[in-house]
Amino acid sequence: MVATPTPPHVSAASAKDDASASAAASATATALLEKHQQAETSAGASLSAQKPRLLIQKTHAAFVSKLYAMVADKNTDALISWSAEGDSFKVTDPVEFARQVLPAYFKHGNWQSFVRQLNMYGFHKISDLAYGGIFGDAQLWMFKHYYFRRGELKQLQNIKRRGPKAVAAAQDASPQ
């Protein structure tokens, strides 16, 4: 592991804590996906009966892997889960999600930062009318990406981070 210089505004202890937290999250994510891959390859194993697991692979970004793990984790279904079709995911209570779930996967618990990251990777918020009606719950947020689908781990490698100019252009072009 290559040591990176600590910025002058960050204490050495804080930088060490951040590095430890990041390493722990990566190790957890790696272990989760390895277990999912074992379940996937075992003969006759029902994926729907197995808890989806996650592995940070070199073929796709850590953010995408962690996002898939959050959505697939049955323990977080009250706050983040797949849509019935499995082609999008929903966050039912952003405040509680940011407080309880985000810090378990990332170094922050900031809902706006999470949404910004989703936009950077090409995810789109699904409006109530575009999804076929009014949800009735002002707290419900739904996001969709063409390659982010339940059970299709191999497609995650197609989700790429876009540059800030592409994100700004996409946000300007999207209807409000």
Side-chain angles (χ1 to χ4, degrees):
M1 183 171 178
V2 176
T4 55
T6 304
H9 65 281
V10 177
S11 71
S14 174
K16 185 177 180 182
D17 290 344
D18 287 349
S20 297
S22 179
S26 293
T28 301
T30 300
L32 290 175
L33 192 50
E34 286 172 350
K35 192 168 185 178
H36 176 66
Q37 287 177 332
Q38 289 171 356
E40 217 174 26
T41 57
S42 63
S46 169
L47 287 180
S48 60
Q50 300 289 331
K51 185 175 179 181
R53 301 298 183 182
L54 169 70
L55 171 66
I56 296 180
Q57 299 176 349
K58 292 183 180 183
T59 58
H60 58 274
F63 175 80
V64 176
S65 295
K66 290 176 183 182
L67 176 61
Y68 191 92
M70 282 191 291
V71 176
D73 185 354
K74 296 293 181 195
N75 295 323
T76 63
D77 276 357
L79 297 171
I80 184 170
S81 60
W82 289 106
S83 65
E85 297 80 12
D87 64 346
S88 61
F89 69 93
K90 59 187 174 184
V91 177
T92 55
D93 185 346
V95 174
E96 281 303 305
F97 170 76
R99 192 176 69 74
Q100 295 180 17
V101 180
L102 281 180
Y105 290 88
F106 302 104
K107 295 177 189 176
H108 67 83
N110 187 321
W111 170 251
Q112 287 83 11
S113 293
F114 177 71
V115 172
R116 195 173 309 116
Q117 282 286 1
L118 288 171
N119 291 331
M120 290 285 286
Y121 283 91
F123 284 83
H124 301 282
K125 183 174 187 265
I126 303 171
S127 69
D128 295 346
L129 296 175
Y131 202 73
I134 306 272
F135 294 124
D137 184 357
Q139 290 278 329
L140 182 67
W141 287 57
M142 294 188 76
F143 295 93
K144 188 172 191 168
H145 190 287
Y146 181 78
Y147 293 114
F148 193 80
R149 297 172 184 265
R150 180 176 43 221
E152 296 185 20
L153 290 170
K154 292 183 182 192
Q155 293 297 325
L156 297 180
Q157 67 186 354
N158 296 317
I159 302 174
K160 306 292 183 200
R161 188 169 192 250
R162 302 184 298 180
K165 289 182 182 179
V167 172
Q171 288 174 343
D172 290 342
S174 67
Q176 299 294 334

